[in-house]
Amino acid sequence: MHCRKCHQTAAFNMRHHKLALCQDHYLEWFVAQTQKTIERYKMFGRDDKVLVAVSGGKDSLALWDVLLQLGYQADGLYIGQGIDGGIGYSDLSRQKIDIFIEQHTGVKLHVVDVDQVYGQTIPQVADQHRASKPCSACGLIKRHIMNRVALEEGYTCLTTGHNLDDEAAVLFLNTLRWQTQYLARQSPILEATHPGLARKAKPFCRFYERETAAYAIMRGLDYLYAECPYAVGSTTITYKNLLNELEDAQPGAKLHFYLSFLSARDAGFLDVVTEDVVLNSCDNCGQPTTSPGLCAFCRLWQNRSIGKDTHVIPVSVSLVGTPVMPVGEEIY
Ligand code: AMP
Ligand code: FES
Ligand code: ZN
Ligand code: ZN
């Protein structure tokens, strides 16, 4: 197979685009496609201050690398979750980010260590609430911290490395459950519709996971291959596997599923649902919440001694034994 641009041997083939490219042309294509996505969804411009949430995995490190290449002002944010899982998962992910910083001199990284700031690691807080796995507490805590750092540090857009496989799997799950409020909020760009909300963008939402992996490998980025130890057997992975089977039989099925959903939503399919959502400000931290009073994040930590810079005031009601987190994605 040959590169469509220069006719040398192709390094990567994308069946869904009917496009094979050599390494140099693939890297060029990938960067150009990212820029197109940023423009298509009006994500941010050269004057914006962009915060990239980096986990040490291929997607977020590739995203940071591409944004820097494109000349955006892009700083990183790493959240130390305190996950060991028998492999020192969080330590390893931090090491990969440190390597990235060594290779990209002059970049700025914010680090929030959950244990240091809030007094417990994510697995510990999940245990305290008798959750069988920390994943849902983890998602809630990460979203809260990302939002908080973006707002407090004056970033005009918060970006994450979510790829098409991630987006299609969440879409599939929410569709099967007809979670219309979650569907209404699933988008490549989320405007700051509330004073406590940062603007959010997913510039890799149109890339297949294998495309971001190919980019990271060809660019020589040293990333953490291991998945989070708690992800094993997760619902998202089940949906990803199902979609992979579909993709094998019908190349492009995942992309079509996701893009058709975005078109349907733009055509007004979910407008009624969107109008129904009322966002309140959390009494404690000011971040948006769908229920009046405290947001889910503050409820999770109440009765804990919390670090000074968290802007969280002590709360007296105990929630031990009551459900603290909704299943699935938060609405905001
Ligand atoms: P995940 O929720 O693990 O699938 O990750 C989705 C995206 O969230 C990643 O591409 C990153 O942009 C971001 N992210 C995940 N974990 C972290 C972390 N520990 N620190 C900062 N950002 C993260
Ligand atoms: Fe959060 Fe696995 S529990 S990444
Ligand atoms: Zn070529
Ligand atoms: Zn709160």
Side-chain angles (χ1 to χ4, degrees):
M1 197 163 306
H2 292 100
C3 171
R4 186 194 282 180
K5 294 217 166 152
C6 68
H7 306 294
Q8 290 184 27
T9 307
F12 195 61
N13 182 29
M14 290 169 282
R15 284 203 299 164
H16 48 280
H17 292 314
K18 296 192 175 62
L19 179 64
L21 293 168
C22 69
Q23 177 158 322
D24 286 352
H25 283 122
Y26 179 70
L27 291 174
E28 194 181 284
W29 176 86
F30 190 91
V31 174
Q33 288 300 117
T34 309
Q35 177 59 24
K36 270 192 194 163
T37 302
I38 293 168
E39 287 170 13
R40 186 190 301 261
Y41 300 107
K42 301 187 174 57
M43 291 181 169
F44 42 83
R46 309 280 160 192
D47 294 335
D48 277 292
K49 248 186 103 187
V50 179
L51 184 65
V52 188
V54 278
S55 63
K58 61 184 181 325
D59 302 300
S60 51
L61 287 182
L63 175 61
W64 200 4
D65 181 72
V66 172
L67 294 186
L68 291 170
Q69 273 195 69
L70 284 167
Y72 289 105
Q73 306 173 50
D75 298 339
L77 164 66
Y78 172 69
I79 300 164
Q81 298 146 296
I83 294 176
D84 181 72
I87 55 166
Y89 176 77
S90 289
D91 291 343
L92 285 176
S93 52
R94 176 67 205 270
Q95 280 166 23
K96 298 300 180 191
I97 294 167
D98 288 343
I99 294 170
F100 182 95
I101 290 171
E102 274 167 30
Q103 291 170 345
H104 297 72
T105 39
V107 296
K108 182 170 169 188
L109 175 73
H110 300 268
V111 177
V112 177
D113 187 278
V114 175
D115 188 14
Q116 269 176 27
V117 179
Y118 299 99
Q120 280 187 318
T121 64
I122 290 182
Q124 283 168 347
V125 76
D127 268 359
Q128 204 199 2
H129 287 278
R130 301 177 203 150
S132 54
K133 276 189 162 204
C135 305
S136 114
C138 178
L140 178 66
I141 292 169
K142 283 193 297 192
R143 278 192 298 276
H144 179 96
I145 294 174
M146 286 178 200
N147 196 54
R148 197 194 108 203
V149 173
L151 288 177
E152 289 182 1
E153 301 292 330
Y155 289 95
T156 46
C157 194
L158 164 69
T159 61
T160 51
H162 289 98
N163 59 42
L164 176 64
D165 293 51
D166 299 323
E167 293 301 291
V170 171
L171 175 59
F172 191 17
L173 188 150
N174 287 336
T175 304
L176 288 184
R177 295 178 182 173
W178 283 115
Q179 297 270 30
T180 48
Q181 292 198 334
Y182 296 149
L183 287 171
R185 299 266 318 154
Q186 190 179 351
S187 171
I189 176 85
L190 279 176
E191 296 298 337
T193 51
H194 181 279
L197 264 189
R199 215 162 161 268
K200 298 189 185 107
K202 300 172 187 169
F204 280 0
C205 64
R206 295 168 73 110
F207 285 132
Y208 283 75
E209 186 172 350
R210 65 185 283 274
E211 292 168 358
T212 59
Y215 175 85
I217 292 166
M218 288 183 202
R219 278 283 289 166
L221 298 178
D222 190 353
Y223 65 84
L224 186 62
Y225 289 84
E227 287 274 350
C228 167
Y230 295 108
V232 179
S234 72
T235 331
T236 316
I237 291 189
T238 309
Y239 286 105
K240 281 188 175 174
N241 291 340
L242 284 170
L243 287 168
N244 283 341
E245 274 185 43
L246 184 64
E247 182 74 26
D248 278 347
Q250 291 174 20
K254 252 184 256 185
L255 188 60
H256 186 64
F257 177 47
Y258 181 60
L259 295 184
S260 315
F261 160 72
L262 293 183
S263 307
R265 217 204 28 204
D266 287 351
F269 162 64
L270 288 160
D271 282 1
V272 178
V273 182
T274 319
E275 281 160 19
D276 271 357
V277 179
V278 178
L279 286 183
N280 308 286
S281 293
C282 169
D283 287 350
N284 193 28
C285 70
Q287 289 205 19
T289 170
T290 42
S291 52
L294 294 179
C295 72
F297 177 88
C298 289
R299 278 185 279 136
L300 189 65
W301 293 100
Q302 63 191 331
N303 289 343
R304 295 288 317 153
S305 58
I306 287 174
K308 269 196 219 124
D309 68 332
T310 59
H311 295 206
V312 178
I313 53 166
V315 181
S316 57
V317 195
S318 169
L319 274 183
V320 173
T322 57
V324 286
M325 288 153 288
V327 176
E329 292 277 299
E330 276 281 330
I331 289 172
Y332 56 86

